[in-house]
Amino acid sequence: MRLASDSFRLTGPGNTAILPRKERRPTGDRAAQGTPEGAKLGTGLELPLDQVLVGDCVALLRRLPPASVHAIFADPPYNLQLKGDLRRPNDSLVDGVDDAWDRFADLGAYDAFTCEWLAECRRVLRKDGTIWVIGSYHNVFRLGAALQDLGFWILNDVIWRKANPMPNFRGRRFTNAHETLIWAARGEESRYRFNYAAMKSLNEELQMRSDWFIPLCTGPERLRDATGAKLHPTQKPEALLHRVILSCTAPGDVVLDPFLGTGTTAAVARRLGRRFIGLERDERYANAAQARIDAVVPVAEGGLATTPAKREQPRIPFGALVERGLVPAGTVLTDRARRWQAVVAPDGSLRCGGAQGSIHQVGAAVQEAATCNGWAFWHLEVPGGRLRVLDELRTEALAQR
Ligand SMILES: C[S@@+](CC[C@H](N)C(=O)[O-])C[C@H]1O[C@@H](n2cnc3c(N)ncnc32)[C@H](O)[C@@H]1O
């Protein structure tokens, strides 16, 4: 156990506590490469990795080095502006968000705060990093406008559709059954990470859509105090953070949450072999978050690899399949509808009528198309008359390497 770096100890009143943390080893390739880029830039400060820092997030963010984190998840105050108690038809009190941390003098004050923390988030985000901001109809439009005004580049708005939303007790509006997550890159030029293949795999090989059906946080996952009451009114489900973190980071990446609450982001990040930095103003929440994080058992290093994107897969030229006799020279290839036949040359090129070139060039030429993925277009007939697509043979060849 060692104390957090003194560089992060705030001096202002009410902002002094920093929780001790356990020294933890990162997992995954990027962690193995050492401190993330940016950690030693400019300020000379170290990144407080795998720590929960207690204090105002704007003040704490100002102490972080620029361009140092890969992803941010922010679940800021909603500014619900609840007026009076809300009661169910049986007169029991609804457990709404009326805490001091959610109160702002007016919309102007909320907007000013939003711009302050978002500007700091943009400063600490790496050039190719992304931010997730979650909100309800009370604040999400203001968050979206602020993101765009500050230069972030919105990539998606994701609807988190709640499987078990709270009813509208007064019956004067629709049941409010979703929250919106805005996913944005640091800027328009960012070459951000999107783990497309992993998201598709998570969705049983269908492209992951922007509407997510996930239950509210209930049952044993919900943190409770000694009296059994909810410890925090807006604890987010781990399933939501699992999808967010898996979609845009790699093992060893640094995920920052400026409004950590009960520590959902940090707990999931740790489980998935990512590093985290959590900021939270309320010491009670920060303590609960730290205990929760300490109880997390990270996935073993060998279990973290997700489906690689096609471009991350090892490459093999078609000629190598010819050399190895998997598709010998002289073989006749055809498309799935058997409209065209092409002969394989010893150098891995194809000939079809007047067209000669790579599997991609000849596939494009016969279809009079601009491009063609020859691996998916050309097929080989095997005994019994069945067609096998070249992509299958490529996978076999890669497995033999
Ligand atoms: C909507 S909750 C986040 C809940 C969290 N996502 C979870 O799963 O538990 C917002 C949190 O931000 C904290 N907060 C509000 N203003 C803050 C500030 N200026 N700096 C740091 N934390 C703040 C609140 O104490 C509250 O716990």
Side-chain angles (χ1 to χ4, degrees):
M1 186 89 85
R2 88 172 169 81
L3 283 175
S5 157
D6 275 351
S7 338
F8 289 93
R9 194 171 292 279
L10 299 182
T11 49
N15 283 331
T16 49
I18 290 182
L19 293 183
R21 60 139 177 160
K22 287 185 178 151
E23 190 68 47
R24 293 192 192 97
R25 283 297 308 144
T27 54
D29 294 348
R30 293 174 74 166
Q33 288 166 16
T35 318
E37 174 194 310
K40 291 179 190 139
L41 291 180
T43 58
L45 299 175
E46 268 180 48
L47 263 190
L49 291 175
D50 302 329
Q51 295 182 42
V52 176
L53 308 183
V54 184
D56 170 62
C57 66
V58 176
L60 289 169
L61 281 162
R62 289 199 176 120
R63 287 161 169 75
L64 298 184
S68 53
V69 308
H70 297 88
I72 298 175
F73 179 84
D75 181 9
Y78 294 82
N79 191 28
L80 287 193
Q81 300 178 301
L82 290 183
K83 294 182 179 64
D85 289 347
L86 179 60
R87 291 187 179 271
R88 298 187 179 84
N90 67 3
D91 209 38
S92 60
L93 196 61
V94 174
D95 192 7
V97 183
D98 58 357
D99 308 62
W101 58 258
D102 202 49
R103 285 189 217 125
F104 292 82
D106 51 28
L107 289 177
Y110 185 75
D111 290 345
F113 171 66
T114 300
C115 283
E116 253 191 321
W117 68 261
L118 272 178
E120 280 307 314
C121 281
R122 190 157 187 274
R123 189 185 62 77
V124 302
L125 196 57
R126 291 162 64 114
K127 182 171 69 59
D128 295 332
T130 57
I131 185 168
W132 290 81
V133 180
I134 184 169
S136 63
Y137 68 85
H138 309 86
N139 64 338
V140 77
F141 302 103
R142 313 195 85 79
L143 295 172
L147 281 165
Q148 289 183 319
D149 289 350
L150 288 166
F152 287 100
W153 186 249
I154 296 184
L155 302 169
N156 276 117
D157 63 326
V158 170
I159 299 300
W160 166 33
R161 196 174 147 220
K162 300 176 183 175
N164 43 354
M166 194 192 300
N168 183 272
F169 293 109
R170 293 193 181 126
R172 297 183 51 133
R173 296 186 191 183
F174 298 106
T175 301
N176 185 22
H178 75 275
E179 288 188 34
T180 303
L181 297 102
I182 301 175
W183 183 40
R186 188 180 185 283
E188 188 176 354
E189 306 304 325
S190 303
R191 299 187 56 194
Y192 59 89
R193 168 181 275 275
F194 176 50
N195 297 326
Y196 171 81
M199 286 298 100
K200 198 169 165 202
S201 173
L202 200 62
N203 197 32
E204 291 204 325
E205 290 312 318
L206 287 176
Q207 271 195 354
M208 182 65 83
R209 297 160 41 122
S210 63
D211 47 348
W212 299 356
F213 189 63
I214 293 176
L216 290 169
C217 175
T218 52
E221 191 183 315
R222 187 97 210 187
L223 301 195
R224 299 195 176 271
D225 65 17
T227 69
K230 285 179 198 166
L231 189 87
H232 194 292
T234 69
Q235 182 181 339
K236 295 295 173 292
E238 292 194 3
L240 187 74
L241 270 299
H242 182 103
R243 197 173 294 182
V244 163
I245 292 174
L246 204 65
S247 71
C248 65
T249 63
D253 279 1
V254 181
V255 182
L256 172 101
D257 186 334
F259 303 99
L260 189 66
T262 57
T264 314
T265 307
V268 176
R270 177 160 154 72
R271 179 168 312 121
L272 294 176
R274 276 67 173 169
R275 317 295 302 267
F276 67 86
I277 300 170
L279 316 178
E280 170 56 52
R281 197 170 61 177
D282 185 315
E283 194 154 7
R284 196 167 83 105
Y285 294 152
N287 283 326
Q290 185 69 62
R292 180 181 181 190
I293 296 161
D294 286 344
V296 165
V297 179
V299 174
E301 209 162 320
L304 283 173
T306 53
T307 314
K310 280 261 188 271
R311 65 178 180 284
E312 289 169 2
Q313 288 170 2
R315 295 169 68 87
I316 190 164
F318 177 64
L321 274 64
V322 178
E323 282 173 337
R324 294 185 202 178
L326 285 166
V327 186
T331 302
V332 175
L333 299 180
T334 182
D335 62 297
R336 188 145 51 122
R338 299 179 195 265
R339 282 170 297 178
W340 295 286
Q341 270 80 42
V343 181
V344 177
D347 63 356
S349 66
L350 296 193
R351 196 162 32 77
C352 180
Q356 176 134 24
S358 72
I359 53 171
H360 312 295
Q361 288 166 335
V362 174
V366 297
Q367 299 178 88
E368 296 180 8
T371 58
C372 167
N373 175 0
W375 292 108
F377 182 72
W378 293 109
H379 294 64
L380 174 74
E381 189 168 318
V382 291
R386 193 170 71 81
L387 291 181
R388 290 191 73 195
V389 67
L390 286 189
D391 219 11
E392 271 180 40
L393 297 157
R394 170 168 67 164
T395 306
E396 281 173 22
L398 283 168
Q400 288 167 12
R401 286 224 291 210

